[in-house]
Amino acid sequence: MYDLIVIGAGAAGMTSALYALRNSKKVLVLESESLGGQIATSPRLENFPSIKAISGEQFADNLFEQITALGCEVEIEKAVGIEKLADKTFVIKTEFNEYKAKSVIIASGVKHKHLRTKSNRDDLVGKGVYYCAICDGAFYKGREVVVIGDANTALQYSLLLSSYCKKVYVYTLFDKFFGDSMLIKALRSKENIEVRPNTSVIDFIGEDELKAIEYKDKDGNIITHEIPAVFVAIGQIPDNKAFANLVDLDENGYIISDESCKTKTEGLFVAGDCRTKAIRQVATAVADGAIASTNASIYLESLEN
């Protein structure tokens, strides 16, 4: 029996584990894929307080070493369901095992929707193809870049990149944006942003790094655009259906919770990008982890009294 099981070993999940361990709790972290979550794929992290620059992988490794040094147990298993028993304990089912805990924090994160191209060039992610302009845009200061997308994230990425890139090309599938009017107005006012509507990006080109993109215009012509970097902003996908019996999900599949990181089920908490929130960054994920874990510890103490 664990005091706390954390589902997800990203920044939010490992911070949750850290705070619980420092409160002398017995903790298990379950991770379905690779340690570190989204940040582990970033070549460089430069917007975390007190750290001038660090690779996302090293940042994740440091967190992992920190929690394991404190006795955290980690299993690479995907959680496929949670049940709360009559005695208030939780049973977490994975693809291979079942684990019991007095409390649970869901920190399963989200994944960026990847652009499917005819060559399936996922090998260029981090090598010219990116899914976070905030994380990686500054590496292309003074150069030309492309943003793919037509909603708020794409608009925000374009405006951010235009502040230090020579030129930003925005490729949209339709002839309009689907974001806030103020963002659209701001984008239209930027002289170094060029919108290319009614375009469909069909391939990424390059050997060890991106060299160009191939797209189809509204007339069906196939065109090659040489460019060093592409920022894809076509949405994010949470994966919370397995927990829907104990939490409320919004229309996009995010777990509904306020800043307390509590869910509708007592003893079950949520942290990080998988919950409803306005800003999804490493700093906010870490903050969620601290809040969720502190509230979980308070809940655990209430069980003992």
Side-chain angles (χ1 to χ4, degrees):
M1 172 75 73
Y2 293 93
D3 292 314
L4 174 67
I5 289 179
V6 180
I7 299 173
M14 288 196 282
T15 301
S16 297
L18 174 63
Y19 272 67
L21 291 160
R22 288 176 58 82
N23 275 321
S24 301
K25 307 304 180 187
K26 184 179 180 182
V27 181
L28 170 67
V29 173
L30 298 172
E31 171 56 49
S32 62
E33 295 181 0
S34 57
L35 299 170
Q38 290 185 72
I39 192 58
T41 66
S42 179
R44 187 178 295 181
L45 172 63
E46 293 183 321
N47 60 355
F48 194 84
S50 82
I51 300 175
K52 185 176 181 181
I54 189 173
S55 71
E57 182 179 15
Q58 186 61 59
F59 179 83
D61 286 346
N62 289 351
L63 257 179
F64 179 72
E65 290 174 7
Q66 192 173 14
I67 63 173
T68 52
L70 291 172
C72 185
E73 297 180 36
V74 180
E75 296 290 345
I76 305 300
E77 298 181 31
K78 180 178 176 63
V80 297
I82 306 176
E83 182 182 357
K84 188 174 184 181
L85 305 180
D87 64 0
K88 295 186 178 182
T89 61
F90 292 88
V91 175
I92 293 83
K93 298 179 181 180
T94 73
E95 297 168 309
F96 310 107
N97 296 294
E98 289 188 359
Y99 301 95
K100 292 189 72 175
K102 298 175 184 177
S103 62
V104 177
I105 296 176
I106 301 170
S108 52
V110 294
K111 296 180 180 179
H112 292 288
K113 282 186 182 178
H114 279 215
L115 183 65
R116 295 294 93 188
T117 65
K118 66 181 182 181
S119 299
N120 291 322
R121 296 303 305 276
D122 279 344
D123 60 304
L124 291 177
V125 174
K127 301 175 182 178
V129 177
Y130 304 99
Y131 289 84
C132 179
I134 298 172
C135 308
D136 304 304
F139 301 118
Y140 295 90
K141 182 178 181 180
R143 305 178 72 182
E144 296 187 350
V145 298
V146 163
V147 172
I148 301 171
D150 54 21
N152 278 341
T153 300
L155 291 163
Q156 291 167 343
Y157 281 3
S158 300
L159 290 167
L160 172 67
L161 292 165
S162 71
S163 67
Y164 50 73
C165 289
K166 180 180 179 181
K167 188 165 187 177
V168 179
Y169 298 89
V170 184
Y171 284 79
T172 64
L173 193 58
F174 303 102
D175 61 356
K176 64 177 182 177
F177 288 103
F178 298 90
D180 295 340
S181 59
M182 290 183 64
L183 290 174
I184 297 171
K185 183 177 180 181
L187 182 141
R188 297 290 188 190
S189 71
K190 295 289 186 178
E191 294 183 357
N192 64 333
I193 295 180
E194 179 181 324
V195 180
R196 293 188 175 180
N198 300 305
T199 56
S200 175
V201 175
I202 56 179
D203 213 0
F204 299 133
I205 300 170
E207 293 297 327
D208 298 325
E209 60 182 18
L210 182 72
K211 296 297 183 184
I213 62 172
E214 189 176 78
Y215 70 95
K216 182 186 295 184
D217 68 12
K218 64 179 180 179
D219 298 319
N221 300 310
I222 305 299
I223 302 171
T224 299
H225 183 179
E226 292 187 4
I227 203 79
V230 172
F231 296 89
V232 182
I234 57 174
Q236 295 176 317
I237 307 174
D239 185 15
N240 295 318
K241 291 181 181 178
F243 319 125
N245 59 315
L246 294 179
V247 301
D248 288 326
L249 304 180
D250 72 3
E251 65 275 12
N252 296 311
Y254 292 96
I255 296 173
I256 296 174
S257 175
D258 60 17
E259 297 305 311
S260 71
C261 295
K262 297 178 181 178
T263 71
K264 71 174 185 179
T265 300
E266 190 177 29
L268 179 61
F269 305 85
V270 60
D273 290 357
C274 64
R275 79 171 181 89
T276 50
K277 58 191 302 183
I279 306 297
R280 293 183 169 87
Q281 287 288 291
V282 178
T284 63
V286 167
D288 275 5
I291 293 167
S293 189
T294 299
N295 282 330
S297 292
I298 292 170
Y299 168 76
L300 288 168
E301 289 167 8
S302 75
L303 296 177
E304 297 172 3
N305 296 328

